[in-house]
Amino acid sequence: MRIGVLAYRGWDEGQDDWQPLSRYLTGKLDGRPVRMVPVTLGSAALLLETGALDFLVTNPGHYLTLSRSYPMSVLATRARRLSDGSRATSFGSTLFARRGTGLNSYSDLLGARVAAVSPRGFGGFQTVWFEAREQGIDLRTAPAETVFLGFPMDRVVMAVLAGEVDIGIVRSGLLESLGAAGRIDIDALEVLDPGASYTHADRVSTRLYPEWPFVALARTDPALTNAVALALLQSADSGLRDIWRAPVSYLSARRLLDVYEADTAPPGDTGPGAVPTAAWVTMAASLAGIAALLLWLRGAPRRRRPRPRRRLWRRTRCSSPGGSGRS
């Protein structure tokens, strides 16, 4: 049984987070082997297309985007343990800067150097984009520079601490996790607009959205899907750090995604599922990688062709969310 997991912190950290769930499910499924497969925002679609996964655990924006092309159903929603020991089926994003810089609100995005994961990152970009938009700030143009550092998301935190950027965007709970592990001094950072939610123990700068769903692919054996769903809903007394509860509504995430895609789609492409401009380069790179992988799998011969003398395209680096830079 193969479960894809979005490895937003890289898989070295991810294995420690997800192997307890793997062992728990193995015990509940009469010893059936359970393999956790790390995925990224770009690789998940290929794995679904080739039938390499039976289940998927990812952020709500990623799930909703993939569900347009791949039939799947939500079995459960994660109830994540927060920094005060409570559990929540909701999360947000954290906008933060180094303490002492005087940056403390969304208006400070104007002219700042900002770091995020990717234009396609839900908790790592889109939620803050939406919040800024509600305050009349266009996150694509307001900062002096926006750089997308990719996974692991920890890079964003380290870039802020090193002074490489002024403001970082991460999902809620990451700063607390790094602080608890002794990786950072959390008091060296200041959260922008920390009063976004008084009901959430972790620092958040946005409204809250439903936590990660555990989804089953439509082609997965129904008996296995039922057994996994039952095991997840019985996890309250399992000793797992994060447990699973009945699925919550993902409507708020859907509404955010619809607004984001309509507002950032290329000119003339504003329908459902439109791809944000800044994601086109990432998508092209993913497609190129998929093509190379398929050729390798099929054993197609590779012939070296002479390169043309004239350069047809010049690669440039653009740090704007709306540009053609690497994300």
Side-chain angles (χ1 to χ4, degrees):
M1 189 177 87
R2 294 156 298 183
I3 305 173
V5 178
L6 184 66
Y8 76 100
R9 296 193 61 194
W11 198 233
D12 288 340
E13 296 286 344
Q15 287 195 75
D16 293 337
D17 290 339
W18 296 103
Q19 287 308 317
L21 177 61
S22 173
R23 291 191 292 269
Y24 168 74
L25 290 175
T26 295
K28 283 288 189 177
L29 300 174
D30 299 325
R32 180 167 185 158
V34 176
R35 179 184 177 190
M36 311 303 279
V37 181
V39 305
T40 66
L41 295 172
S43 69
L46 173 61
L47 294 172
L48 296 179
E49 187 71 36
T50 57
L53 300 176
D54 303 298
F55 302 92
L56 177 67
V57 184
T58 187
N59 70 57
H62 193 211
Y63 147 66
L64 290 168
T65 299
L66 291 171
S67 66
R68 292 193 179 111
S69 302
Y70 306 97
M72 57 182 72
S73 56
V74 178
L75 303 185
T77 295
R78 179 169 66 169
R80 186 175 177 275
R81 185 183 293 277
L82 305 183
S83 54
D84 67 348
S86 64
R87 299 185 189 275
T89 54
S90 59
F91 77 110
S93 295
T94 308
L95 198 61
F96 65 99
R98 283 171 295 153
R99 188 172 297 280
T101 58
L103 305 175
N104 53 39
S105 69
Y106 273 81
S107 61
D108 292 319
L109 288 166
L110 299 171
R113 298 168 300 161
V114 178
V117 169
S118 164
R120 293 188 294 166
F122 185 78
F125 182 74
Q126 293 172 356
T127 51
V128 171
W129 171 90
F130 184 78
E131 211 72 37
R133 179 181 181 274
E134 293 292 287
Q135 299 187 31
I137 300 170
D138 189 342
L139 194 52
R140 296 169 297 174
T141 59
E145 181 183 26
T146 300
V147 292
F148 295 107
L149 301 179
F151 291 158
M153 190 178 283
D154 301 21
R155 292 175 180 169
V156 175
V157 181
M158 302 310 169
V160 172
L161 287 171
E164 298 170 3
V165 294
D166 302 313
I167 297 174
I169 301 171
V170 296
R171 69 148 285 155
S172 63
L174 179 59
L175 298 184
E176 288 81 0
S177 295
L178 290 171
R183 298 270 306 278
I184 66 169
D185 176 7
I186 197 168
D187 292 330
L189 298 172
E190 186 164 0
V191 175
L192 281 64
D193 197 12
S197 174
Y198 294 103
T199 63
H200 202 75
D202 294 342
R203 297 166 175 85
V204 293
S205 306
T206 67
R207 66 199 71 189
L208 300 177
Y209 295 90
E211 258 289 355
W212 287 22
F214 191 113
V215 303
L217 281 299
R219 61 167 186 77
T220 303
D221 176 31
L224 177 59
T225 296
N226 290 336
V228 170
L230 181 60
L232 292 173
L233 297 179
Q234 292 176 337
S235 63
D237 299 322
S238 64
L240 293 172
R241 187 182 65 182
D242 298 336
I243 61 175
W244 299 86
R245 293 177 177 161
V248 301
S249 170
Y250 285 87
L251 180 60
S252 60
R254 165 62 69 194
R255 286 174 173 168
L256 183 153
L257 198 62
D258 287 346
V259 172
Y260 180 77
E261 291 178 341
D263 204 62
T264 61
D269 185 7
T270 57
V275 181
T277 304
W280 281 108
V281 172
T282 303
M283 181 178 293
S286 298
L287 291 174
I290 291 172
L293 177 60
L294 291 176
L295 285 174
W296 178 78
L297 290 173
R298 294 173 181 172
R302 297 180 181 179
R303 297 180 180 179
R304 189 180 298 275
R305 296 182 178 180
R307 295 182 176 179
R309 293 181 179 275
R310 185 167 60 91
R311 179 178 289 181
L312 299 178
W313 298 93
R314 177 175 297 174
R315 177 177 296 177
T316 59
R317 181 179 182 274
C318 176
S319 58
S320 156
S324 57
R326 185 176 60 184
S327 60

